[in-house]
Amino acid sequence: MPNLKDLKIRINSTKNTQKITSAMKMVSAAKLRRAQEQAVAARPYAERMERVLGSLAASMAGKDNAPALLAGTGSDQVHLLVVMTSDRGLCGAFNSSIVRQARKMARDLKANGKTVNILTVGRKAKEQLKREFQPLIVGSIEDVGKPRLTFDAAAKIAVQIRHMFEAGEFDVCTIIYNKFKSAIAQIVTPQQLIPFALASANENNAAKTADAQLYEYEPDEESILADLLPRNMSMQVYRALLENAASEHGARMTAMDNATRNAGEMINKLTINYNRTRQANITKELIEIISGAEAV
């Protein structure tokens, strides 16, 4: 039979944990609204920029004077995976789903004879990937969202990636992040940054026709692409960070809500067990008193 004191300690401990998880849930819920608004607001700009670049890039693809960020190195032997996670845990499967996708991509690339390098953005990515891919991690960036997430922070990451590309450290760069869908659902999204990923031929033709009705480009397409491709990289990194931030708060809110409800169920079970044990002890003491009185 469990000890009453031990049960009481467990009940109080679980109640304290419930207070913490409930507070974390409310904090994440408050942050989620702002993060969701920022992520949703960034989508049209990022998607439109990709569309404009796609229509321009379609006519430049394959030409000798195409910008390096569009043409690439002409090889796909060395891949850089930019794995974006959070710096903190207690957010359900948010981090593990991203890391799982990164592991799968790294293993598939290595199985095909490719060289893989990994740049982690977020403490959890480095902690989980270093167990298996420590030699492949070429850099780590942490605390990007402190005190708050800004475009300048995303631009610095994009500049670092471009410098690595210009130094010949990789041929293809792909970022992996969680796209926000709802507070209980996030979509793991790999997105190729370098070389610029052209859409399908039909999509390009449709985009080019639509853009041609609205814009006349000056100066030439090569100059525009040389200027816009770096900006697009920064924008896509910023968008990924915003999507990740919203997904993280949504996942943490859901996880803490589940933890709070589970703690409540555990408290109820422990309280019932405590009351039954206490009643059993009282009954046992009464029986001993009655038995002693009858013996006298």
Side-chain angles (χ1 to χ4, degrees):
M1 186 176 293
N3 186 282
L4 286 177
K5 183 178 180 180
D6 292 340
L7 286 172
K8 193 68 174 177
I9 291 174
R10 285 195 63 188
I11 291 172
N12 291 334
S13 176
T14 307
K15 286 182 178 179
N16 291 334
T17 302
Q18 187 183 41
K19 291 178 182 178
I20 295 172
T21 56
S22 179
M24 291 182 67
K25 171 194 169 183
M26 290 187 290
V27 170
S28 293
K31 291 182 177 180
L32 172 62
R33 182 177 179 180
R34 178 177 177 81
Q36 182 179 353
E37 289 175 352
Q38 290 179 322
V40 172
R43 286 176 186 172
Y45 182 82
E47 291 171 358
R48 184 61 178 173
M49 177 174 279
E50 278 197 318
R51 182 179 172 184
V52 171
L53 285 174
S55 65
L56 284 169
S59 60
M60 291 291 296
K63 293 185 179 180
D64 295 335
N65 59 345
L69 292 178
L70 172 63
T73 61
S75 173
D76 65 344
Q77 180 59 35
V78 183
H79 287 253
L80 176 68
L81 301 181
V82 182
V83 186
M84 295 183 169
T85 62
S86 66
D87 292 303
R88 299 187 300 153
L90 297 177
C91 48
F94 169 78
N95 291 314
S96 59
S97 60
I98 298 173
V99 173
R100 189 183 306 113
Q101 178 67 25
R103 285 198 184 104
K104 182 180 182 301
M105 291 183 65
R107 290 167 183 164
D108 291 344
L109 289 169
K110 291 178 69 177
N112 292 327
K114 308 297 183 182
T115 301
V116 178
N117 294 325
I118 297 175
L119 174 65
T120 61
V121 180
R123 189 175 296 111
K124 290 300 176 179
K126 182 179 180 181
E127 290 177 355
Q128 295 186 34
L129 287 172
K130 69 180 181 181
R131 302 168 189 170
E132 183 178 356
F133 300 107
Q134 176 67 46
L136 307 183
I137 299 177
V138 296
S140 178
I141 302 172
E142 299 178 1
D143 298 329
V144 176
K146 289 185 178 180
R148 63 188 183 87
L149 185 58
T150 62
F151 182 79
D152 290 339
K156 290 179 181 178
I157 297 175
V159 168
Q160 181 175 341
I161 295 172
R162 287 203 305 273
H163 287 169
M164 294 173 67
F165 177 68
E166 292 167 359
E169 297 182 19
F170 64 87
D171 301 314
V172 180
C173 174
T174 304
I175 58 174
I176 306 171
Y177 64 96
N178 260 332
K179 184 176 182 179
F180 179 81
K181 184 177 180 181
S182 69
I184 60 174
Q186 300 85 36
I187 304 172
V188 181
T189 306
Q191 180 180 351
Q192 182 175 307
L193 284 184
I194 301 176
F196 179 77
L198 291 173
S200 66
N202 291 336
E203 290 176 348
N204 275 332
N205 291 335
K208 189 172 183 180
T209 301
D211 291 332
Q213 297 172 353
L214 299 175
Y215 304 106
E216 291 182 1
Y217 296 103
E218 290 187 6
D220 57 279
E221 295 172 336
E222 179 186 356
S223 301
I224 296 175
L225 284 173
D227 182 62
L228 287 186
L229 283 171
R231 296 189 187 186
N232 178 65
M233 271 194 64
S234 300
M235 184 61 215
Q236 299 307 323
V237 171
Y238 184 50
R239 175 193 181 185
L241 291 173
L242 290 176
E243 295 281 356
N244 247 17
S247 299
E248 177 190 352
H249 292 311
R252 181 171 288 112
M253 184 186 72
T254 302
M256 291 301 99
D257 180 56
N258 292 334
T260 301
R261 286 189 284 104
N262 290 340
E265 293 175 2
M266 184 177 291
I267 290 170
N268 292 336
K269 291 180 180 179
L270 289 172
T271 301
I272 292 173
N273 195 4
Y274 175 85
N275 291 335
R276 287 177 177 174
T277 302
R278 180 170 175 271
Q279 186 62 46
N281 289 340
I282 293 173
T283 302
K284 180 181 177 182
E285 291 175 2
L286 287 175
I287 292 174
E288 290 175 351
I289 292 172
I290 295 171
S291 300
E294 290 179 351
V296 173

